[in-house]
Every structure is written in structure tokens, then in C-alpha cells.
Amino acid sequence: NMLRLATRRALRATFVAQKASTFAVRTMCAADAGWVDDVWRRLGKETGEPASMAEATREQLAVAKKEQEESGEAQLSNDAASAGFSIEKSPGESLVTMKKEMVGETMVVSFHVDDVQPAVDADGEEKEGALMAVNFTVAISKGADSPQLFFECLANNAELHVRRVALEEEEGADKEDAYGGPLFAEMDGQWQFSCFSYLAERGIDDNFANFVCEYAAETECGEYARWLGRLDAFLAKESRADACSQRRPQCKDGAMRAKAQHHWR
């Protein structure tokens, strides 16, 4: 799943000779090199003719729909429900909200399925392979009169990273000038360990980080297909409009000729 998302974000471009046109294909799965070559041939690489945007979109939409058929999003949603999380996401939006009610606490996890970056190692260098990382926020509240405790986290492939711990601004404080707390990496090692334990007790651990990455990948596939479908519909209208504009002068000329013939009779 993460391989498909990372490779699909890559753009394969070529300059078409004589027409100085640039065309890019967004691949769904780099492992399926045969599919890539087949699409590239059908889009005119061998003939030197660039495909239209409508043709290229239809090709991508067909592959995206096939990927959707193999989606594991439903199973992931069931796994989240088994862990006590409810998931909220509106079609066409990238925001995912996961909510979990506990004794005296409410925890809300939020992330965007398109807020994806390459996974990094301990030194901050990008890891080899199509690994991904997703930013997410954990907000914990203890009732209406309690401030929220925020954890800014990173699901780094299958590893949980914490970047910052912050409390909601005090009443009356300027949000722009409020102190947000120190960077997590600058805190005492034992205190950092206690934070990971605090989160783990609430189900936020390496396994949850892996879930966020997988769910983001699967959900982004669905949104990608939805976006392609809307784009395909838009371009189809444009194609019909072009066809009508090409036919219209012919009809007009024909009507004028018929009128002229009737006049000379």
C-alpha cells in the first residue's frame, strides 16, 4: 500500500520531439513495469504523438479503479473500531479524525492523507525504499473545564516519533505569543520515555503509527480515484464542446447553401 502511494507520486516525464511538449505519467505501481510500458506506448511514446489530457486521465482512472477494488480500507476501519476508535472522514476531503472515549478522557487523533513525506532514519536522512511518514496530532481532554494536551507526532513508517508536547493556551492568552513548550528532542530522556508510556497506555504506539501510514495510503488511493473521476467528467464536457464547435460551422454553411439554393429557384 505504501509502495503504491509513494511510487504513484513520482512523475515520469519526456520531451516530445518536434512539438516541444512535456507529458507526465503518474505511476500507480513501479513494480508493474509492464503496465507502465503498456500505458506509455498507448499514450503515444512510440509514435511521437502526445496523448491528450482526457486520454491520459482515462488511463489513470482505469488503473485507480482497479487499485480501489483491492483496497484494505474497510478492514483497517474494522481494526480501528476493535481498538475503540471511531473514524470520521468526509468524501472529497483529506482530513481524517479518529476519536476514542476513555474513563474521564477523550482522545482525538487527526491527520491528512495527503500530508505525506519520505520516512527518515535517526539522523534525519531519508530511508531507502518507498517508505512513508505521516504527521498526526493527538489531543487529550479531561472534560469541558480542562485544557487539552497536544502531542505533535510523526508516523515514521512503523515507528512513532513525538516532536512536541503542548498544552492548550491559557484563557485570555494570545495564541500567537503563547509558549508552545520545548522541542521533544531537547527534553530529558527519562521524561521522553514517560511520554511514550503515557501514549502507549492510550493505544498510541508503533503499531498505531503503522496503522496511520496504511490508512493514509489506502484512503488517498480512494480520493485519488475520486479526483480522477471528477477530472475525467470535466474533460469529457470539454471534448464534447470541442466536437460541437467543429460541427457547428459545417451545419451553418450547409443551412446557408440550402437557403441560397431555395432563393434561386
Side-chain angles (χ1 to χ4, degrees):
N1 300 334
M2 289 180 281
L3 174 64
R4 289 204 305 270
L5 178 62
T7 54
R8 194 173 63 252
R9 291 179 176 274
L11 294 176
R12 181 180 180 179
T14 186
F15 290 96
V16 180
Q18 299 177 347
K19 293 193 176 183
S21 299
T22 302
F23 186 78
V25 171
R26 187 184 184 199
T27 61
M28 285 293 289
C29 185
D32 191 357
W35 173 83
V36 175
D37 291 339
D38 180 53
V39 170
W40 202 247
R41 283 194 299 271
R42 281 185 284 166
L43 293 185
K45 181 173 183 288
E46 292 184 347
T47 63
E49 291 295 329
S52 69
M53 186 175 180
E55 292 172 330
T57 299
R58 282 193 295 271
E59 291 283 352
Q60 293 291 285
L61 179 58
V63 178
K65 286 182 176 180
K66 183 178 179 181
E67 288 292 327
Q68 263 195 303
E69 295 174 358
E70 303 171 359
S71 173
E73 182 178 348
Q75 181 59 51
L76 289 170
S77 296
N78 291 336
D79 293 343
S82 300
F85 286 96
S86 61
I87 299 180
E88 295 181 6
K89 183 191 173 302
S90 299
E93 296 184 0
S94 65
L95 176 64
V96 176
T97 302
M98 302 178 63
K99 188 175 182 180
K100 184 176 184 180
E101 298 285 354
M102 296 165 287
V103 178
E105 287 185 358
T106 299
M107 180 170 66
V108 177
V109 178
S110 57
F111 58 92
H112 289 81
V113 299
D114 55 356
D115 183 14
V116 177
Q117 55 191 281
V120 297
D121 58 22
D123 297 324
E125 299 293 330
E126 292 186 12
K127 291 185 177 181
E128 294 183 1
L131 304 179
M132 60 181 287
V134 181
N135 291 304
F136 69 96
T137 301
V138 179
I140 299 174
S141 61
K142 295 181 179 290
D145 298 330
S146 170
Q148 286 186 304
L149 176 62
F150 293 96
F151 292 84
E152 295 179 9
C153 304
L154 176 69
N156 192 39
N157 195 32
E159 298 175 356
L160 172 65
H161 292 199
V162 178
R163 289 176 165 173
R164 188 182 294 272
V165 181
L167 273 173
E168 189 176 21
E169 292 83 2
E170 294 180 292
E171 187 176 353
D174 188 332
K175 291 186 177 182
E176 293 184 359
D177 298 329
Y179 177 65
L183 292 175
F184 187 79
E186 297 175 351
M187 296 297 291
D188 174 75
Q190 188 169 355
W191 187 86
Q192 292 181 22
F193 182 80
S194 70
C195 284
F196 282 113
S197 297
Y198 182 89
L199 289 171
E201 291 171 0
R202 290 156 177 80
I204 310 299
D205 52 16
D206 287 344
N207 289 331
F208 183 82
N210 185 64
F211 170 88
V212 168
C213 289
E214 289 192 358
Y215 193 84
E218 293 290 353
T219 308
E220 200 272 347
C221 283
E223 288 302 332
Y224 175 54
R226 182 189 302 276
W227 176 82
L228 282 172
R230 294 179 61 226
L231 180 59
D232 181 55
F234 176 86
L235 295 172
K237 291 180 181 179
E238 187 178 67
S239 298
R240 287 195 295 270
D242 290 342
C244 289
S245 65
Q246 292 173 4
R247 290 196 300 267
R248 213 169 279 130
Q250 298 174 1
C251 296
K252 184 177 180 181
D253 292 345
M256 290 178 67
R257 285 195 297 271
K259 185 176 180 180
Q261 290 171 1
H262 177 75
H263 175 75
W264 286 107
R265 285 176 184 170

